[in-house]
Short mmCIF file of all heavy atoms in Angstrom, two decimals:
data_model
loop_
_atom_site.label_atom_id
_atom_site.label_comp_id
_atom_site.label_asym_id
_atom_site.label_seq_id
_atom_site.Cartn_x
_atom_site.Cartn_y
_atom_site.Cartn_z
N ALA A 363 286.81 15.21 -48.14
CA ALA A 363 285.49 14.79 -47.50
C ALA A 363 284.46 15.82 -47.89
O ALA A 363 283.34 15.37 -48.11
CB ALA A 363 285.68 14.61 -46.08
N LEU A 364 284.76 17.00 -47.99
CA LEU A 364 283.75 18.09 -48.13
C LEU A 364 283.14 17.79 -49.42
O LEU A 364 281.80 17.74 -49.66
CB LEU A 364 284.27 19.53 -48.03
CG LEU A 364 283.15 20.52 -48.20
CD1 LEU A 364 282.25 20.62 -47.06
CD2 LEU A 364 283.83 21.93 -48.44
N GLN A 365 283.81 17.64 -50.58
CA GLN A 365 283.40 17.56 -51.95
C GLN A 365 282.60 16.23 -52.02
O GLN A 365 281.50 16.18 -52.60
CB GLN A 365 284.48 17.64 -52.97
CG GLN A 365 284.00 17.82 -54.41
CD GLN A 365 283.20 19.10 -54.49
OE1 GLN A 365 283.62 20.15 -54.09
NE2 GLN A 365 281.95 18.90 -55.04
N ALA A 366 283.03 15.26 -51.24
CA ALA A 366 282.32 13.98 -51.38
C ALA A 366 280.97 14.06 -50.75
O ALA A 366 279.93 13.56 -51.23
CB ALA A 366 283.16 12.86 -50.51
N ILE A 367 280.93 14.76 -49.65
CA ILE A 367 279.54 15.01 -48.93
C ILE A 367 278.61 15.80 -49.93
O ILE A 367 277.41 15.52 -50.06
CB ILE A 367 279.73 15.74 -47.72
CG1 ILE A 367 280.42 14.76 -46.71
CG2 ILE A 367 278.40 16.15 -46.99
CD1 ILE A 367 280.82 15.43 -45.33
N LEU A 368 279.24 16.93 -50.77
CA LEU A 368 278.31 17.67 -51.42
C LEU A 368 277.97 16.79 -52.74
O LEU A 368 276.84 16.93 -53.17
CB LEU A 368 279.15 18.88 -51.97
CG LEU A 368 279.47 19.96 -50.79
CD1 LEU A 368 280.48 21.04 -51.42
CD2 LEU A 368 278.22 20.56 -50.22
N ASP A 369 278.77 16.11 -53.21
CA ASP A 369 278.46 15.19 -54.32
C ASP A 369 277.41 14.17 -54.04
O ASP A 369 276.54 13.70 -54.93
CB ASP A 369 279.77 14.42 -54.88
CG ASP A 369 280.73 15.40 -55.53
OD1 ASP A 369 280.25 16.59 -55.95
OD2 ASP A 369 281.84 15.02 -55.90
N VAL A 370 277.29 13.65 -52.82
CA VAL A 370 276.36 12.72 -52.35
C VAL A 370 274.94 13.53 -52.35
O VAL A 370 273.93 13.02 -52.92
CB VAL A 370 276.54 12.23 -50.95
CG1 VAL A 370 275.32 11.47 -50.43
CG2 VAL A 370 277.75 11.11 -51.12
N ALA A 371 274.98 14.80 -51.88
CA ALA A 371 273.82 15.63 -51.95
C ALA A 371 273.26 15.82 -53.21
O ALA A 371 272.01 15.74 -53.39
CB ALA A 371 273.98 16.96 -51.22
N SER A 372 274.07 16.12 -54.23
CA SER A 372 273.60 16.41 -55.53
C SER A 372 273.27 15.23 -56.35
O SER A 372 272.79 15.40 -57.45
CB SER A 372 274.59 17.23 -56.32
OG SER A 372 275.76 16.40 -56.44
N GLY A 373 273.68 13.98 -56.01
CA GLY A 373 273.45 12.83 -56.60
C GLY A 373 274.54 12.43 -57.58
O GLY A 373 274.52 11.43 -58.26
N LYS A 374 275.65 13.38 -57.53
CA LYS A 374 276.75 13.05 -58.50
C LYS A 374 277.52 11.86 -57.98
O LYS A 374 278.14 11.06 -58.79
CB LYS A 374 277.69 14.30 -58.43
CG LYS A 374 278.63 14.31 -59.55
CD LYS A 374 279.38 15.71 -59.54
CE LYS A 374 280.65 15.54 -60.18
NZ LYS A 374 281.40 16.86 -59.80
N LYS A 375 277.45 11.54 -56.74
CA LYS A 375 278.19 10.39 -56.13
C LYS A 375 277.13 9.47 -55.41
O LYS A 375 276.38 9.99 -54.60
CB LYS A 375 279.19 10.94 -55.07
CG LYS A 375 280.10 9.86 -54.58
CD LYS A 375 281.11 10.60 -53.69
CE LYS A 375 282.12 9.62 -53.10
NZ LYS A 375 283.13 9.16 -54.02
N VAL A 376 277.12 8.30 -55.86
CA VAL A 376 276.21 7.36 -55.06
C VAL A 376 277.16 6.19 -54.66
O VAL A 376 277.55 5.33 -55.43
CB VAL A 376 275.19 6.72 -56.00
CG1 VAL A 376 274.28 5.71 -55.20
CG2 VAL A 376 274.45 7.78 -56.65
N PRO A 377 277.65 6.29 -53.33
CA PRO A 377 278.48 5.18 -52.82
C PRO A 377 277.90 3.82 -52.71
O PRO A 377 276.72 3.71 -52.56
CB PRO A 377 278.74 5.71 -51.38
CG PRO A 377 278.08 7.04 -51.30
CD PRO A 377 277.19 7.18 -52.33
N THR A 378 278.79 2.92 -52.87
CA THR A 378 278.41 1.46 -52.73
C THR A 378 278.41 1.23 -51.26
O THR A 378 279.36 1.34 -50.65
CB THR A 378 279.38 0.54 -53.52
OG1 THR A 378 279.67 1.10 -54.75
CG2 THR A 378 278.91 -0.80 -53.54
#
Side-chain angles (χ1 to χ4, degrees):
L364 180 70
Q365 194 58 52
I367 292 170
L368 294 173
D369 286 348
V370 169
S372 67
K374 194 168 155 196
K375 187 176 180 74
V376 183
T378 313

